Amino acid sequence: MSFISPMPSQQFLWDVFQRVDKDRSGAISADELQQALSNGTWTPFNPETVRLMIGMFDKKQTGTVSFEEFGALWKYVTDWENCFRSFDRDNSGNIDRNELKTALTNFGYRLSDQIIDMLIRKYDRAGHGTIYFDDFIQCCIVLYTLTSAFRRLDTDLDGVITIHYEQFLGMVFNLKI
């Protein structure tokens, strides 16, 4: 299953960039990006998800995304949208527990039902037992980041690591999540 979309033309990206860059500063702030994104629920895009995405594409560490960085960000959001829609089987605009489990299994995660339930509780901002698009992105980014950090220490690939408390704190606090 492919969720990858083709990169649009520079002109298309420039037109989108100019519409998002409300203050005409030549860079997109987290506030501007949050206003431009839609999770399909008439609620603002999760500011924490926006912060994570700005951090991923802000190569110069300015807290904003330049036009040069914007194309990759736009493609990233579009690919996530395609992914989300493919797992939102009932076209409800959100991911329920079973859809989340299917998505994560397709991504290669083998997680217990207890962990799936915990993820639903953690990322369900509306309290309906479902996850909106923006929270789905955040859930997947955090899960990927934590898994990558764990795998760096799981050198024998047995799914078990032994670390000291301060190693654990260092591992968690050094993550960009």
Side-chain angles (χ1 to χ4, degrees), residues 97-144:
R97 186 195 178 288
N98 292 332
E99 292 166 334
L100 179 64
K101 185 170 185 167
T102 299
L104 296 178
T105 300
N106 278 307
F107 297 159
Y109 295 104
R110 292 185 309 273
L111 303 172
S112 69
D113 288 341
Q114 291 82 1
I115 295 297
I116 299 292
D117 291 341
M118 183 180 60
L119 291 172
I120 289 285
R121 282 192 306 275
K122 169 93 174 136
Y123 293 100
D124 173 17
R125 280 190 296 155
H128 300 300
T130 59
I131 300 177
Y132 294 140
F133 172 55
D134 50 348
D135 299 311
F136 176 71
I137 294 172
Q138 184 182 350
C139 174
C140 293
I141 291 171
V142 169
L143 188 57
Y144 173 80

Side-chain angles (χ1 to χ4, degrees), residues 65-127:
V65 176
S66 67
F67 178 66
E68 292 73 30
E69 298 161 331
F70 179 70
L73 171 63
W74 186 92
K75 185 173 181 343
Y76 184 79
V77 172
T78 302
D79 290 345
W80 270 116
E81 186 176 26
N82 293 337
C83 172
F84 181 84
R85 285 183 177 159
S86 75
F87 291 113
D88 180 15
R89 297 279 186 219
D90 59 359
N91 294 318
S92 62
N94 53 56
I95 297 283
D96 65 25
R97 186 195 178 288
N98 292 332
E99 292 166 334
L100 179 64
K101 185 170 185 167
T102 299
L104 296 178
T105 300
N106 278 307
F107 297 159
Y109 295 104
R110 292 185 309 273
L111 303 172
S112 69
D113 288 341
Q114 291 82 1
I115 295 297
I116 299 292
D117 291 341
M118 183 180 60
L119 291 172
I120 289 285
R121 282 192 306 275
K122 169 93 174 136
Y123 293 100
D124 173 17
R125 280 190 296 155

Side-chain angles (χ1 to χ4, degrees), residues 12-22 24 32 36:
F12 174 85
L13 288 173
W14 179 246
D15 292 344
V16 173
F17 183 85
Q18 286 189 300
R19 283 198 304 273
V20 176
D21 182 19
K22 297 285 188 202
R24 298 286 180 250
E32 289 170 327

